[in-house]
Short mmCIF file of all heavy atoms in Angstrom, two decimals:
data_model
loop_
_atom_site.label_atom_id
_atom_site.label_comp_id
_atom_site.label_asym_id
_atom_site.label_seq_id
_atom_site.Cartn_x
_atom_site.Cartn_y
_atom_site.Cartn_z
N ALA J 12 0.84 -1.20 0.00
CA ALA J 12 0.00 0.00 0.00
C ALA J 12 0.88 1.25 0.00
O ALA J 12 0.57 2.25 -0.67
CB ALA J 12 -0.91 -0.01 1.22
N GLN J 13 1.99 1.22 0.75
CA GLN J 13 2.89 2.36 0.80
C GLN J 13 3.59 2.57 -0.54
O GLN J 13 3.80 3.70 -0.98
CB GLN J 13 3.92 2.15 1.90
CG GLN J 13 3.35 2.17 3.31
CD GLN J 13 4.35 1.71 4.36
OE1 GLN J 13 5.48 1.32 4.04
NE2 GLN J 13 3.93 1.75 5.61
N LEU J 14 3.94 1.46 -1.19
CA LEU J 14 4.65 1.54 -2.47
C LEU J 14 3.72 1.95 -3.61
O LEU J 14 4.16 2.51 -4.61
CB LEU J 14 5.30 0.20 -2.80
CG LEU J 14 6.48 -0.21 -1.94
CD1 LEU J 14 6.82 -1.68 -2.17
CD2 LEU J 14 7.69 0.66 -2.24
N GLY J 15 2.44 1.62 -3.45
CA GLY J 15 1.49 1.91 -4.52
C GLY J 15 1.64 0.99 -5.72
O GLY J 15 1.26 1.35 -6.84
N THR J 16 2.21 -0.20 -5.48
CA THR J 16 2.42 -1.15 -6.57
C THR J 16 1.21 -2.08 -6.72
O THR J 16 0.45 -2.30 -5.78
CB THR J 16 3.68 -1.98 -6.32
OG1 THR J 16 3.62 -2.56 -5.01
CG2 THR J 16 4.91 -1.10 -6.42
N LYS J 17 1.08 -2.63 -7.92
CA LYS J 17 -0.06 -3.49 -8.23
C LYS J 17 0.37 -4.92 -8.52
O LYS J 17 -0.34 -5.87 -8.20
CB LYS J 17 -0.82 -2.92 -9.43
CG LYS J 17 -2.06 -3.69 -9.83
CD LYS J 17 -2.77 -3.02 -11.00
CE LYS J 17 -4.02 -3.78 -11.41
NZ LYS J 17 -4.70 -3.13 -12.56
N TYR J 18 1.55 -5.07 -9.13
CA TYR J 18 2.02 -6.39 -9.53
C TYR J 18 3.25 -6.78 -8.72
O TYR J 18 4.02 -5.93 -8.26
CB TYR J 18 2.37 -6.40 -11.02
CG TYR J 18 1.19 -6.12 -11.92
CD1 TYR J 18 1.00 -4.84 -12.47
CD2 TYR J 18 0.26 -7.11 -12.21
CE1 TYR J 18 -0.08 -4.57 -13.28
CE2 TYR J 18 -0.83 -6.85 -13.03
CZ TYR J 18 -1.00 -5.59 -13.56
OH TYR J 18 -2.07 -5.31 -14.37
N THR J 19 3.45 -8.10 -8.56
CA THR J 19 4.58 -8.61 -7.79
C THR J 19 5.90 -8.10 -8.34
O THR J 19 6.81 -7.74 -7.59
CB THR J 19 4.58 -10.14 -7.78
OG1 THR J 19 3.35 -10.60 -7.17
CG2 THR J 19 5.75 -10.69 -6.98
N TYR J 20 6.01 -8.05 -9.66
CA TYR J 20 7.24 -7.54 -10.28
C TYR J 20 7.55 -6.13 -9.80
O TYR J 20 8.69 -5.79 -9.47
CB TYR J 20 7.10 -7.56 -11.80
CG TYR J 20 8.19 -6.81 -12.52
CD1 TYR J 20 9.46 -7.37 -12.65
CD2 TYR J 20 7.97 -5.54 -13.04
CE1 TYR J 20 10.48 -6.67 -13.29
CE2 TYR J 20 8.97 -4.84 -13.67
CZ TYR J 20 10.23 -5.41 -13.80
OH TYR J 20 11.23 -4.71 -14.42
N GLN J 21 6.54 -5.29 -9.75
CA GLN J 21 6.72 -3.92 -9.30
C GLN J 21 7.11 -3.87 -7.82
O GLN J 21 7.98 -3.10 -7.42
CB GLN J 21 5.44 -3.12 -9.52
CG GLN J 21 5.01 -2.99 -10.97
CD GLN J 21 3.63 -2.37 -11.11
OE1 GLN J 21 2.78 -2.49 -10.24
NE2 GLN J 21 3.40 -1.71 -12.25
N THR J 22 6.44 -4.70 -7.03
CA THR J 22 6.72 -4.72 -5.59
C THR J 22 8.14 -5.17 -5.31
O THR J 22 8.86 -4.56 -4.51
CB THR J 22 5.73 -5.66 -4.88
OG1 THR J 22 4.39 -5.19 -5.08
CG2 THR J 22 6.01 -5.73 -3.38
N ILE J 23 8.57 -6.25 -5.97
CA ILE J 23 9.93 -6.75 -5.78
C ILE J 23 10.96 -5.71 -6.20
O ILE J 23 11.95 -5.46 -5.50
CB ILE J 23 10.13 -8.06 -6.56
CG1 ILE J 23 9.38 -9.20 -5.87
CG2 ILE J 23 11.60 -8.40 -6.69
CD1 ILE J 23 9.46 -10.52 -6.61
N SER J 24 10.73 -5.09 -7.34
CA SER J 24 11.66 -4.05 -7.83
C SER J 24 11.80 -2.92 -6.82
O SER J 24 12.91 -2.47 -6.52
CB SER J 24 11.18 -3.49 -9.17
OG SER J 24 11.15 -4.49 -10.17
N ALA J 25 10.67 -2.49 -6.28
CA ALA J 25 10.68 -1.38 -5.33
C ALA J 25 11.33 -1.77 -4.00
O ALA J 25 12.07 -0.98 -3.40
CB ALA J 25 9.25 -0.91 -5.09
N LEU J 26 11.08 -2.99 -3.54
CA LEU J 26 11.68 -3.44 -2.28
C LEU J 26 13.19 -3.57 -2.40
O LEU J 26 13.94 -3.18 -1.49
CB LEU J 26 11.07 -4.77 -1.85
CG LEU J 26 9.63 -4.72 -1.33
CD1 LEU J 26 9.11 -6.12 -1.03
CD2 LEU J 26 9.54 -3.83 -0.08
N LYS J 27 13.65 -4.10 -3.52
CA LYS J 27 15.10 -4.23 -3.71
C LYS J 27 15.77 -2.86 -3.80
O LYS J 27 16.91 -2.68 -3.36
CB LYS J 27 15.38 -5.06 -4.97
CG LYS J 27 15.06 -6.54 -4.81
CD LYS J 27 15.23 -7.30 -6.12
CE LYS J 27 16.69 -7.41 -6.52
NZ LYS J 27 17.44 -8.31 -5.63
N LYS J 28 15.06 -1.90 -4.33
CA LYS J 28 15.59 -0.54 -4.43
C LYS J 28 15.62 0.14 -3.06
O LYS J 28 16.59 0.83 -2.72
CB LYS J 28 14.75 0.29 -5.41
CG LYS J 28 15.22 1.73 -5.57
CD LYS J 28 14.35 2.48 -6.56
CE LYS J 28 14.81 3.92 -6.72
NZ LYS J 28 13.97 4.67 -7.70
N ASN J 29 14.57 -0.07 -2.28
CA ASN J 29 14.45 0.60 -0.99
C ASN J 29 15.22 -0.11 0.13
O ASN J 29 15.56 0.51 1.13
CB ASN J 29 12.98 0.72 -0.59
CG ASN J 29 12.26 1.84 -1.31
OD1 ASN J 29 12.32 3.00 -0.92
ND2 ASN J 29 11.57 1.49 -2.40
N PHE J 30 15.48 -1.41 -0.05
CA PHE J 30 16.21 -2.19 0.96
C PHE J 30 17.39 -2.90 0.27
O PHE J 30 17.43 -4.13 0.19
CB PHE J 30 15.28 -3.21 1.62
CG PHE J 30 14.11 -2.62 2.35
CD1 PHE J 30 12.92 -2.33 1.66
CD2 PHE J 30 14.18 -2.33 3.70
CE1 PHE J 30 11.84 -1.78 2.33
CE2 PHE J 30 13.10 -1.77 4.39
CZ PHE J 30 11.92 -1.49 3.70
N PRO J 31 18.35 -2.13 -0.23
CA PRO J 31 19.42 -2.70 -1.06
C PRO J 31 20.36 -3.66 -0.34
O PRO J 31 21.05 -4.45 -0.99
CB PRO J 31 20.16 -1.45 -1.56
CG PRO J 31 19.92 -0.43 -0.49
CD PRO J 31 18.52 -0.67 -0.04
N LYS J 32 20.42 -3.60 0.98
CA LYS J 32 21.35 -4.45 1.73
C LYS J 32 20.63 -5.58 2.47
O LYS J 32 21.18 -6.16 3.41
CB LYS J 32 22.17 -3.59 2.71
CG LYS J 32 23.06 -2.57 2.01
CD LYS J 32 23.89 -1.78 3.01
CE LYS J 32 24.79 -0.77 2.29
NZ LYS J 32 25.62 0.01 3.25
N THR J 33 19.42 -5.87 2.04
CA THR J 33 18.63 -6.95 2.63
C THR J 33 18.46 -8.06 1.60
O THR J 33 18.24 -7.79 0.43
CB THR J 33 17.24 -6.44 3.07
OG1 THR J 33 17.39 -5.36 3.99
CG2 THR J 33 16.43 -7.55 3.73
N ASP J 34 18.58 -9.31 2.05
CA ASP J 34 18.39 -10.46 1.16
C ASP J 34 16.97 -10.97 1.31
O ASP J 34 16.51 -11.25 2.43
CB ASP J 34 19.38 -11.57 1.51
CG ASP J 34 20.82 -11.18 1.22
OD1 ASP J 34 21.03 -10.39 0.29
OD2 ASP J 34 21.72 -11.66 1.94
N PHE J 35 16.27 -11.11 0.18
CA PHE J 35 14.86 -11.49 0.19
C PHE J 35 14.62 -12.86 -0.44
O PHE J 35 15.35 -13.30 -1.33
CB PHE J 35 14.03 -10.46 -0.56
CG PHE J 35 13.92 -9.11 0.11
CD1 PHE J 35 14.49 -7.99 -0.46
CD2 PHE J 35 13.24 -8.98 1.31
CE1 PHE J 35 14.39 -6.74 0.15
CE2 PHE J 35 13.12 -7.74 1.94
CZ PHE J 35 13.69 -6.62 1.35
N LEU J 36 13.56 -13.49 0.03
CA LEU J 36 13.04 -14.74 -0.56
C LEU J 36 11.54 -14.59 -0.69
O LEU J 36 10.86 -14.24 0.29
CB LEU J 36 13.35 -15.93 0.37
CG LEU J 36 12.63 -17.24 0.04
CD1 LEU J 36 13.28 -17.92 -1.17
CD2 LEU J 36 12.64 -18.19 1.24
N TRP J 37 10.99 -14.84 -1.88
CA TRP J 37 9.54 -14.78 -2.07
C TRP J 37 8.94 -16.14 -1.73
O TRP J 37 9.43 -17.18 -2.18
CB TRP J 37 9.20 -14.38 -3.51
CG TRP J 37 7.76 -13.98 -3.66
CD1 TRP J 37 6.71 -14.78 -4.02
CD2 TRP J 37 7.20 -12.68 -3.42
NE1 TRP J 37 5.53 -14.06 -4.03
CE2 TRP J 37 5.81 -12.77 -3.65
CE3 TRP J 37 7.74 -11.46 -3.03
CZ2 TRP J 37 4.95 -11.67 -3.51
CZ3 TRP J 37 6.90 -10.37 -2.88
CH2 TRP J 37 5.53 -10.48 -3.13
N ILE J 38 7.88 -16.14 -0.94
CA ILE J 38 7.25 -17.37 -0.45
C ILE J 38 5.88 -17.54 -1.08
O ILE J 38 5.06 -16.62 -1.06
CB ILE J 38 7.11 -17.33 1.08
CG1 ILE J 38 8.48 -17.10 1.75
CG2 ILE J 38 6.48 -18.62 1.60
CD1 ILE J 38 8.38 -16.76 3.23
N CYS J 39 5.61 -18.73 -1.62
CA CYS J 39 4.32 -19.02 -2.25
C CYS J 39 3.80 -20.39 -1.84
O CYS J 39 4.59 -21.31 -1.57
CB CYS J 39 4.45 -19.02 -3.78
SG CYS J 39 4.52 -17.40 -4.56
N GLY J 40 2.50 -20.53 -1.86
CA GLY J 40 1.90 -21.84 -1.76
C GLY J 40 2.01 -22.53 -3.11
O GLY J 40 2.14 -21.87 -4.15
N MET J 41 1.94 -23.85 -3.12
CA MET J 41 2.12 -24.60 -4.36
C MET J 41 1.06 -24.26 -5.40
O MET J 41 1.30 -24.35 -6.60
CB MET J 41 2.12 -26.10 -4.08
CG MET J 41 2.59 -26.96 -5.24
SD MET J 41 4.32 -26.66 -5.68
CE MET J 41 5.17 -27.33 -4.25
N ASP J 42 -0.13 -23.87 -4.96
CA ASP J 42 -1.19 -23.55 -5.92
C ASP J 42 -0.78 -22.40 -6.84
O ASP J 42 -1.22 -22.32 -7.99
CB ASP J 42 -2.49 -23.21 -5.18
CG ASP J 42 -2.33 -22.08 -4.18
OD1 ASP J 42 -1.26 -21.99 -3.54
OD2 ASP J 42 -3.27 -21.29 -4.01
N ASN J 43 0.08 -21.53 -6.35
CA ASN J 43 0.53 -20.40 -7.18
C ASN J 43 1.42 -20.84 -8.33
O ASN J 43 1.55 -20.13 -9.33
CB ASN J 43 1.27 -19.37 -6.33
CG ASN J 43 0.32 -18.45 -5.58
OD1 ASN J 43 -0.43 -17.70 -6.18
ND2 ASN J 43 0.35 -18.53 -4.27
N ALA J 44 2.07 -22.01 -8.19
CA ALA J 44 2.92 -22.50 -9.27
C ALA J 44 2.12 -22.76 -10.53
O ALA J 44 2.62 -22.59 -11.64
CB ALA J 44 3.65 -23.77 -8.83
N LEU J 45 0.87 -23.17 -10.37
CA LEU J 45 0.02 -23.50 -11.51
C LEU J 45 -0.37 -22.27 -12.32
O LEU J 45 -0.68 -22.38 -13.51
CB LEU J 45 -1.23 -24.23 -11.04
CG LEU J 45 -1.01 -25.60 -10.39
CD1 LEU J 45 -2.29 -26.12 -9.77
CD2 LEU J 45 -0.46 -26.58 -11.41
N ILE J 46 -0.38 -21.11 -11.68
CA ILE J 46 -0.81 -19.88 -12.37
C ILE J 46 0.32 -18.86 -12.46
O ILE J 46 0.10 -17.73 -12.91
CB ILE J 46 -2.02 -19.24 -11.66
CG1 ILE J 46 -1.66 -18.84 -10.23
CG2 ILE J 46 -3.22 -20.17 -11.70
CD1 ILE J 46 -2.73 -18.00 -9.54
N PHE J 47 1.51 -19.23 -12.05
CA PHE J 47 2.61 -18.27 -11.99
C PHE J 47 2.90 -17.65 -13.35
O PHE J 47 3.28 -16.47 -13.45
CB PHE J 47 3.87 -18.93 -11.43
CG PHE J 47 4.91 -17.96 -10.97
CD1 PHE J 47 4.83 -17.39 -9.71
CD2 PHE J 47 5.97 -17.59 -11.79
CE1 PHE J 47 5.78 -16.48 -9.27
CE2 PHE J 47 6.93 -16.69 -11.36
CZ PHE J 47 6.84 -16.13 -10.11
N HIS J 48 2.72 -18.43 -14.41
CA HIS J 48 2.99 -17.91 -15.76
C HIS J 48 1.98 -16.84 -16.19
O HIS J 48 2.16 -16.20 -17.23
CB HIS J 48 2.98 -19.06 -16.78
CG HIS J 48 1.69 -19.80 -16.86
ND1 HIS J 48 1.27 -20.69 -15.89
CD2 HIS J 48 0.71 -19.77 -17.79
CE1 HIS J 48 0.09 -21.17 -16.23
NE2 HIS J 48 -0.27 -20.62 -17.38
N LYS J 49 0.95 -16.63 -15.38
CA LYS J 49 -0.03 -15.58 -15.66
C LYS J 49 0.34 -14.27 -14.96
O LYS J 49 -0.29 -13.25 -15.20
CB LYS J 49 -1.43 -16.03 -15.23
CG LYS J 49 -1.96 -17.22 -16.01
CD LYS J 49 -3.37 -17.58 -15.56
CE LYS J 49 -3.91 -18.77 -16.34
NZ LYS J 49 -5.29 -19.14 -15.91
N TRP J 50 1.32 -14.33 -14.08
CA TRP J 50 1.74 -13.13 -13.37
C TRP J 50 2.44 -12.18 -14.35
O TRP J 50 3.09 -12.60 -15.29
CB TRP J 50 2.73 -13.48 -12.25
CG TRP J 50 2.12 -14.21 -11.09
CD1 TRP J 50 0.98 -14.96 -11.08
CD2 TRP J 50 2.65 -14.28 -9.75
NE1 TRP J 50 0.77 -15.50 -9.84
CE2 TRP J 50 1.78 -15.09 -9.01
CE3 TRP J 50 3.78 -13.75 -9.14
CZ2 TRP J 50 1.99 -15.37 -7.66
CZ3 TRP J 50 4.00 -14.02 -7.79
CH2 TRP J 50 3.12 -14.81 -7.07
N ASP J 51 2.32 -10.90 -14.09
CA ASP J 51 2.96 -9.90 -14.93
C ASP J 51 4.49 -10.06 -14.85
O ASP J 51 5.07 -10.12 -13.76
CB ASP J 51 2.57 -8.50 -14.45
CG ASP J 51 3.13 -7.40 -15.33
OD1 ASP J 51 2.83 -7.40 -16.53
OD2 ASP J 51 3.88 -6.55 -14.80
N LYS J 52 5.14 -10.17 -16.02
CA LYS J 52 6.59 -10.30 -16.12
C LYS J 52 7.11 -11.43 -15.21
O LYS J 52 8.12 -11.27 -14.51
CB LYS J 52 7.27 -8.97 -15.77
CG LYS J 52 6.86 -7.83 -16.69
CD LYS J 52 7.58 -6.53 -16.35
CE LYS J 52 7.14 -5.40 -17.29
NZ LYS J 52 7.80 -4.10 -16.98
N TRP J 53 6.46 -12.58 -15.27
CA TRP J 53 6.76 -13.67 -14.35
C TRP J 53 8.19 -14.19 -14.48
O TRP J 53 8.83 -14.53 -13.48
CB TRP J 53 5.76 -14.80 -14.51
CG TRP J 53 5.76 -15.50 -15.84
CD1 TRP J 53 5.17 -15.08 -16.99
CD2 TRP J 53 6.37 -16.76 -16.14
NE1 TRP J 53 5.37 -15.99 -18.00
CE2 TRP J 53 6.10 -17.03 -17.50
CE3 TRP J 53 7.11 -17.69 -15.40
CZ2 TRP J 53 6.55 -18.19 -18.14
CZ3 TRP J 53 7.56 -18.85 -16.03
CH2 TRP J 53 7.28 -19.08 -17.38
N LYS J 54 8.72 -14.23 -15.69
CA LYS J 54 10.10 -14.71 -15.87
C LYS J 54 11.09 -13.71 -15.26
O LYS J 54 12.11 -14.11 -14.69
CB LYS J 54 10.41 -14.92 -17.35
CG LYS J 54 9.66 -16.11 -17.96
CD LYS J 54 10.06 -16.32 -19.41
CE LYS J 54 9.33 -17.52 -20.00
NZ LYS J 54 9.69 -17.75 -21.43
N ARG J 55 10.77 -12.45 -15.38
CA ARG J 55 11.64 -11.42 -14.78
C ARG J 55 11.62 -11.53 -13.26
O ARG J 55 12.64 -11.33 -12.60
CB ARG J 55 11.16 -10.03 -15.22
CG ARG J 55 12.09 -8.91 -14.78
CD ARG J 55 13.38 -8.92 -15.57
NE ARG J 55 14.30 -7.90 -15.08
CZ ARG J 55 15.31 -8.13 -14.26
NH1 ARG J 55 15.56 -9.37 -13.85
NH2 ARG J 55 16.11 -7.17 -13.87
N VAL J 56 10.45 -11.84 -12.69
CA VAL J 56 10.34 -12.03 -11.24
C VAL J 56 11.32 -13.11 -10.78
O VAL J 56 12.04 -12.96 -9.79
CB VAL J 56 8.90 -12.41 -10.84
CG1 VAL J 56 8.85 -12.86 -9.38
CG2 VAL J 56 7.96 -11.23 -11.05
#
């Protein structure tokens, strides 16, 4: 909400920019694997 982002790609990009010295891991349930290719810029994510 603070970032004003809509897609995961945008959120990840913004978090890496704002927290450059923090190491991140994105966590998903397995059900998301079935639809992950529908995410915006999923390969870039």
